Amino acid sequence: MAGSSLLVLIDDIATILDDVSVLSKVAAKKTAGVLGDDLAVNAEQVSGVKADRELPVVWAVAKGSFRNKCILVPAALLISVVAPWLITPLLMLGGLFLCYEGFEKLAHPLLHSKAEDDAHQKALLDRAADPARDPLQEEKTKINGAIRTDFILSAEIIVITLGTVADAVFSTQVLVVTTIALVMTVGVYGLVAGIIKMDDAGLYLSQREGEGVVTGLLRWLGRFLLGFAPWLMKALGIVGTLAMFMVGGGILVHGLHPVEVVIEHVVAAGSGIAAIGPAIHFAGPTLLAALFGVVAGALTLAVVAAVQRVRGKGAAH
């Protein structure tokens, strides 16, 4: 009896771990949009500090991110037990926020003139050249700002993950949400550290002295890294923005059944076209969900702008 009970226990554990593995992969895919944005935002947040302080700043923000997860993960699991009906509304709000944030990035050139951007850049340069400034205080301010940003992005990741495992047993929810929280934190800040030190590595390799094929290849690799680093930051921003619409739009479409039905009918009709039918069947749902995300983001931005104008007028009076 004891032996059979042990085998049953082992089988249950194996089943739970298998479920955790599968659900973690699904959750990781769904949080990819936030991850791309998270990388770009955090790399930008910690840029501008002295080279020898970059890694300590990343480590300080990473510790703050772990503290954020220690608050958010138990809160999310508590919601799943006490008020599971809140998961879908929170998930929809998270998707809407992703679409809003993505469209805000697209609309930035239209909402802010080049003169405003130039003035902001000049203010940053003037502050950097000010001999009276306190670098340690500025560093602390950057760290606190990055941790606040991380809290919002972490909340999005955890809500999306919780929505993925909402129908699973509680033990699986705990393992999946905790796994995603840890993996995302380690992955994001490990990659951020690599990205911001890429130019230093490139400079070091490009200045290698000596002759030979290997040394020449190392110098070439260094020059490549120096040129690639800024392009990588731009690419992360673009990919992150696209992924926000894909993930956020997908969440909204899944939560709005009539919209989901319309998209299914459109894809089904397009799938019958001889030349491009297979492509429409494969990519159509994702692209249409992303397009819906763009529309939702635009409407949300318009509402937020209108509210800000009304509040501004109220404050003026």
Side-chain angles (χ1 to χ4, degrees):
M1 179 70 75
S4 61
S5 298
L6 179 61
L7 291 175
V8 171
L9 177 62
I10 292 173
D11 181 65
D12 287 344
I13 293 173
T15 301
I16 290 173
L17 291 178
D18 183 60
D19 290 343
V20 169
S21 176
V22 172
L23 290 170
S24 294
K25 289 178 182 177
V26 174
K29 289 179 181 178
K30 289 192 175 184
T31 55
V34 188
L35 177 62
D37 186 50
D38 209 352
L39 280 173
V41 168
N42 281 290
E44 183 180 357
Q45 287 271 22
V46 300
S47 64
V49 300
K50 294 175 64 176
D52 61 340
R53 294 297 303 162
E54 286 176 337
L55 291 182
V57 167
V58 172
W59 174 236
V61 178
K63 287 189 292 185
S65 179
F66 276 114
R67 288 194 296 270
N68 288 340
K69 303 299 192 303
C70 289
I71 297 170
L72 290 167
V73 170
L77 294 172
L78 181 64
I79 288 172
S80 73
V81 174
V82 177
W85 54 269
L86 266 178
I87 295 176
T88 298
L90 288 174
L91 197 59
M92 294 289 284
L93 285 174
L96 191 61
F97 182 79
L98 282 175
C99 296
Y100 163 75
E101 193 177 34
F103 195 83
E104 190 178 37
K105 290 184 178 182
L106 291 182
H108 181 85
L110 300 176
L111 300 175
H112 302 275
S113 66
K114 187 176 183 302
E116 288 178 318
D117 290 337
D118 291 342
H120 177 67
Q121 189 68 24
K122 185 178 182 302
L124 292 176
L125 293 173
D126 290 343
R127 189 175 65 186
D130 185 1
R133 74 185 182 97
D134 184 355
L136 291 178
Q137 184 59 42
E138 288 190 3
E139 181 179 298
K140 186 177 179 180
T141 301
K142 274 182 172 289
I143 291 171
N144 291 335
I147 291 173
R148 285 193 297 271
T149 301
D150 174 271
F151 189 90
I152 297 172
L153 295 171
S154 295
E156 294 176 32
I157 290 172
I158 290 171
V159 167
I160 292 171
T161 304
L162 189 61
T164 304
V165 297
D167 297 328
V169 296
F170 183 71
S171 57
T172 301
Q173 290 181 359
V174 172
L175 290 173
V176 172
V177 173
T178 303
T179 298
I180 291 296
L182 291 174
V183 169
M184 288 296 182
T185 303
V186 173
V188 164
Y189 289 99
L191 287 172
V192 167
I195 290 169
I196 66 173
K197 299 306 289 185
M198 186 181 294
D199 53 351
D200 290 344
L203 182 62
Y204 172 77
L205 292 174
S206 67
Q207 293 177 341
R208 290 289 294 267
E209 297 180 354
E211 302 295 333
V213 176
V214 175
T215 304
L217 285 174
L218 289 176
R219 284 197 293 266
W220 174 86
L221 178 60
R223 291 192 294 271
F224 172 78
L225 290 176
L226 284 172
F228 180 67
W231 284 99
L232 177 61
M233 286 298 298
K234 291 180 181 178
L236 280 174
I238 294 171
V239 171
T241 301
L242 290 174
M244 277 190 274
F245 289 127
M246 292 168 63
V247 175
I251 292 171
L252 294 177
V253 166
H254 184 68
L256 299 171
H257 184 65
V259 178
E260 190 175 30
V261 170
V262 170
I263 288 178
E264 288 175 355
H265 285 319
V266 171
V267 171
S271 299
I273 302 174
I276 59 174
I280 292 176
H281 178 76
F282 176 75
T286 301
L287 293 177
L288 289 173
L291 181 61
F292 184 79
V294 172
V295 174
L299 293 175
T300 306
L301 181 61
V303 171
V304 170
V307 170
Q308 289 176 341
R309 282 196 298 269
V310 171
R311 291 181 62 186
K313 290 178 180 179
H317 290 298

